[in-house]
PDB file of all heavy atoms in Angstrom:
ATOM      1  N   ARG F 424     -23.373  21.638   3.850  1.00  0.00           N
ATOM      2  CA  ARG F 424     -22.363  21.099   4.786  1.00  0.00           C
ATOM      3  C   ARG F 424     -20.982  21.644   4.335  1.00  0.00           C
ATOM      4  O   ARG F 424     -20.681  21.716   3.133  1.00  0.00           O
ATOM      5  CB  ARG F 424     -22.368  19.507   4.870  1.00  0.00           C
ATOM      6  CG  ARG F 424     -23.638  19.057   5.512  1.00  0.00           C
ATOM      7  CD  ARG F 424     -23.576  17.485   5.480  1.00  0.00           C
ATOM      8  NE  ARG F 424     -24.637  16.886   6.189  1.00  0.00           N
ATOM      9  CZ  ARG F 424     -24.549  16.578   7.499  1.00  0.00           C
ATOM     10  NH1 ARG F 424     -23.423  16.819   8.183  1.00  0.00           N
ATOM     11  NH2 ARG F 424     -25.508  16.011   8.183  1.00  0.00           N
ATOM     12  N   ASN F 425     -20.052  21.647   5.244  1.00  0.00           N
ATOM     13  CA  ASN F 425     -18.713  21.978   4.904  1.00  0.00           C
ATOM     14  C   ASN F 425     -17.802  20.788   4.475  1.00  0.00           C
ATOM     15  O   ASN F 425     -16.824  20.991   3.816  1.00  0.00           O
ATOM     16  CB  ASN F 425     -18.000  22.710   6.081  1.00  0.00           C
ATOM     17  CG  ASN F 425     -18.618  24.145   6.266  1.00  0.00           C
ATOM     18  OD1 ASN F 425     -19.010  24.769   5.352  1.00  0.00           O
ATOM     19  ND2 ASN F 425     -18.733  24.473   7.572  1.00  0.00           N
ATOM     20  N   ILE F 426     -18.218  19.547   4.873  1.00  0.00           N
ATOM     21  CA  ILE F 426     -17.617  18.329   4.498  1.00  0.00           C
ATOM     22  C   ILE F 426     -18.714  17.457   3.945  1.00  0.00           C
ATOM     23  O   ILE F 426     -19.625  17.101   4.507  1.00  0.00           O
ATOM     24  CB  ILE F 426     -16.863  17.739   5.669  1.00  0.00           C
ATOM     25  CG1 ILE F 426     -15.785  18.583   6.235  1.00  0.00           C
ATOM     26  CG2 ILE F 426     -16.309  16.377   5.328  1.00  0.00           C
ATOM     27  CD1 ILE F 426     -14.977  18.018   7.414  1.00  0.00           C
ATOM     28  N   ILE F 427     -18.429  16.996   2.698  1.00  0.00           N
ATOM     29  CA  ILE F 427     -19.399  16.144   2.016  1.00  0.00           C
ATOM     30  C   ILE F 427     -18.815  14.674   2.001  1.00  0.00           C
ATOM     31  O   ILE F 427     -17.793  14.417   1.472  1.00  0.00           O
ATOM     32  CB  ILE F 427     -19.612  16.629   0.577  1.00  0.00           C
ATOM     33  CG1 ILE F 427     -20.029  18.132   0.601  1.00  0.00           C
ATOM     34  CG2 ILE F 427     -20.708  15.809  -0.016  1.00  0.00           C
ATOM     35  CD1 ILE F 427     -21.283  18.515   1.285  1.00  0.00           C
ATOM     36  N   THR F 428     -19.568  13.833   2.671  1.00  0.00           N
ATOM     37  CA  THR F 428     -19.312  12.342   2.663  1.00  0.00           C
ATOM     38  C   THR F 428     -20.124  11.625   1.804  1.00  0.00           C
ATOM     39  O   THR F 428     -21.118  12.071   1.167  1.00  0.00           O
ATOM     40  CB  THR F 428     -19.477  11.906   4.140  1.00  0.00           C
ATOM     41  OG1 THR F 428     -20.877  11.908   4.453  1.00  0.00           O
ATOM     42  CG2 THR F 428     -18.675  12.722   5.103  1.00  0.00           C
ATOM     43  N   LYS F 429     -19.639  10.341   1.523  1.00  0.00           N
ATOM     44  CA  LYS F 429     -20.506   9.473   0.672  1.00  0.00           C
ATOM     45  C   LYS F 429     -21.880   9.354   1.171  1.00  0.00           C
ATOM     46  O   LYS F 429     -22.906   9.295   0.418  1.00  0.00           O
ATOM     47  CB  LYS F 429     -19.837   8.105   0.612  1.00  0.00           C
ATOM     48  CG  LYS F 429     -20.556   7.009  -0.165  1.00  0.00           C
ATOM     49  CD  LYS F 429     -19.939   5.730  -0.056  1.00  0.00           C
ATOM     50  CE  LYS F 429     -20.768   4.654  -0.794  1.00  0.00           C
ATOM     51  NZ  LYS F 429     -20.176   3.348  -0.639  1.00  0.00           N
ATOM     52  N   GLU F 430     -21.884   9.279   2.481  1.00  0.00           N
ATOM     53  CA  GLU F 430     -23.322   9.083   3.158  1.00  0.00           C
ATOM     54  C   GLU F 430     -24.319  10.359   2.820  1.00  0.00           C
ATOM     55  O   GLU F 430     -25.591  10.166   2.769  1.00  0.00           O
ATOM     56  CB  GLU F 430     -23.253   8.924   4.705  1.00  0.00           C
ATOM     57  CG  GLU F 430     -22.750   7.571   5.111  1.00  0.00           C
ATOM     58  CD  GLU F 430     -21.221   7.432   4.772  1.00  0.00           C
ATOM     59  OE1 GLU F 430     -20.575   8.406   4.704  1.00  0.00           O
ATOM     60  OE2 GLU F 430     -20.696   6.215   4.779  1.00  0.00           O
ATOM     61  N   ASP F 431     -23.726  11.498   2.696  1.00  0.00           N
ATOM     62  CA  ASP F 431     -24.508  12.633   2.376  1.00  0.00           C
ATOM     63  C   ASP F 431     -25.187  12.615   0.990  1.00  0.00           C
ATOM     64  O   ASP F 431     -26.138  13.115   0.688  1.00  0.00           O
ATOM     65  CB  ASP F 431     -23.566  13.894   2.452  1.00  0.00           C
ATOM     66  CG  ASP F 431     -23.114  14.239   3.927  1.00  0.00           C
ATOM     67  OD1 ASP F 431     -23.954  14.005   4.786  1.00  0.00           O
ATOM     68  OD2 ASP F 431     -21.995  14.737   4.062  1.00  0.00           O
ATOM     69  N   LEU F 432     -24.443  11.856   0.112  1.00  0.00           N
ATOM     70  CA  LEU F 432     -24.863  11.757  -1.329  1.00  0.00           C
ATOM     71  C   LEU F 432     -25.786  10.673  -1.586  1.00  0.00           C
ATOM     72  O   LEU F 432     -26.559  10.751  -2.469  1.00  0.00           O
ATOM     73  CB  LEU F 432     -23.658  11.627  -2.179  1.00  0.00           C
ATOM     74  CG  LEU F 432     -22.564  12.795  -2.057  1.00  0.00           C
ATOM     75  CD1 LEU F 432     -21.340  12.431  -2.877  1.00  0.00           C
ATOM     76  CD2 LEU F 432     -23.154  14.099  -2.551  1.00  0.00           C
ATOM     77  N   THR F 433     -25.565   9.561  -0.878  1.00  0.00           N
ATOM     78  CA  THR F 433     -26.383   8.343  -1.204  1.00  0.00           C
ATOM     79  C   THR F 433     -27.929   8.453  -1.092  1.00  0.00           C
ATOM     80  O   THR F 433     -28.633   7.878  -1.900  1.00  0.00           O
ATOM     81  CB  THR F 433     -26.065   7.109  -0.349  1.00  0.00           C
ATOM     82  OG1 THR F 433     -26.148   7.522   1.080  1.00  0.00           O
ATOM     83  CG2 THR F 433     -24.607   6.635  -0.574  1.00  0.00           C
ATOM     84  N   ILE F 434     -28.326   9.318  -0.194  1.00  0.00           N
ATOM     85  CA  ILE F 434     -29.835   9.540  -0.063  1.00  0.00           C
ATOM     86  C   ILE F 434     -30.493  10.275  -1.210  1.00  0.00           C
ATOM     87  O   ILE F 434     -31.647  10.378  -1.279  1.00  0.00           O
ATOM     88  CB  ILE F 434     -30.157  10.062   1.300  1.00  0.00           C
ATOM     89  CG1 ILE F 434     -29.525  11.456   1.433  1.00  0.00           C
ATOM     90  CG2 ILE F 434     -29.843   9.261   2.392  1.00  0.00           C
ATOM     91  CD1 ILE F 434     -29.954  12.315   2.616  1.00  0.00           C
ATOM     92  N   TYR F 435     -29.655  10.965  -2.044  1.00  0.00           N
ATOM     93  CA  TYR F 435     -30.101  11.775  -3.068  1.00  0.00           C
ATOM     94  C   TYR F 435     -30.035  11.250  -4.544  1.00  0.00           C
ATOM     95  O   TYR F 435     -30.552  11.749  -5.455  1.00  0.00           O
ATOM     96  CB  TYR F 435     -29.469  13.186  -3.014  1.00  0.00           C
ATOM     97  CG  TYR F 435     -29.609  13.847  -1.770  1.00  0.00           C
ATOM     98  CD1 TYR F 435     -28.372  14.349  -1.026  1.00  0.00           C
ATOM     99  CD2 TYR F 435     -30.812  14.106  -1.086  1.00  0.00           C
ATOM    100  CE1 TYR F 435     -28.543  15.028   0.092  1.00  0.00           C
ATOM    101  CE2 TYR F 435     -30.924  14.700   0.080  1.00  0.00           C
ATOM    102  CZ  TYR F 435     -29.810  15.174   0.752  1.00  0.00           C
ATOM    103  OH  TYR F 435     -29.860  15.730   1.925  1.00  0.00           O
TER     104      TYR F 435
END
Side-chain angles (χ1 to χ4, degrees):
R424 286 178 175 272
N425 292 323
I426 296 180
I427 307 299
T428 66
K429 176 184 174 183
E430 287 75 19
D431 291 324
L432 301 171
T433 54
I434 58 175
Y435 304 127

